Structure formats: C-alpha cells, structure tokens
Amino acid sequence: KYNPQLLTKDRILAITKCETIEEELRKMIEKELKAGIAAPKSGFKGTKPMFISAATGYGIDKLKDEIMKKLVA
C-alpha cells in the first residue's frame, strides 16, 4: 500500500527508446501528453513528460537536471 501523500508530489514521466520514432511524431506525442496532464481531474498534475534514449543519450542530461532540481527543492 502506498502513502497517499505521494499523489501530491511532482512526478517525472520518462518515455524511453525515443530514438525509435521520428522527431515529428515525438513532438505530437509530447503535445498530447502535456494536454492530457493539464486536463482537470487527470490525476497527473505536476507530472513532467521527458523523452529519453539511453542508446543515443537524447534527453539524459535534461532528465538528470530535472531530478536534481526535484531533490534539492
């Protein structure tokens, strides 16, 4: 059982293997995710979607920076 206070914490949604899709599709998915997260009663308030790729390194530095921001906040 999870602590209900976790629902009030900011979250990061890491979408992996983004090297397997074209940039145009990634941007479309990102736009859809942000719209869904912003929707009232979505349950995802405070969630930041981030596309990453371990294979190419895409987004890894941004993800690490975001994690550090959350840890020191």
Side-chain angles (χ1 to χ4, degrees):
K1 195 152 186 160
Y2 293 102
N3 183 333
Q5 290 180 331
L6 290 174
L7 295 174
T8 64
K9 304 284 184 186
D10 287 346
R11 294 168 263 181
I12 299 171
L13 173 63
I15 299 104
T16 62
K17 302 192 185 324
C18 71
E19 78 279 359
T20 63
I21 60 174
E22 294 180 16
E23 183 73 11
E24 185 178 322
L25 179 58
R26 185 196 61 78
K27 287 180 180 180
M28 185 181 76
I29 293 169
E30 185 174 23
K31 183 179 176 182
E32 294 285 327
L33 281 171
K34 287 181 178 180
I37 288 168
K41 300 182 182 180
S42 73
F44 293 102
K45 183 179 179 187
T47 302
K48 182 171 187 167
M50 302 190 77
F51 287 82
I52 62 169
S53 169
T56 65
Y58 179 89
I60 299 296
D61 287 337
K62 287 183 182 179
L63 176 62
K64 289 193 293 187
D65 291 345
E66 192 64 29
I67 290 170
M68 287 306 296
K69 279 196 268 182
K70 301 291 183 191
L71 290 175
V72 297

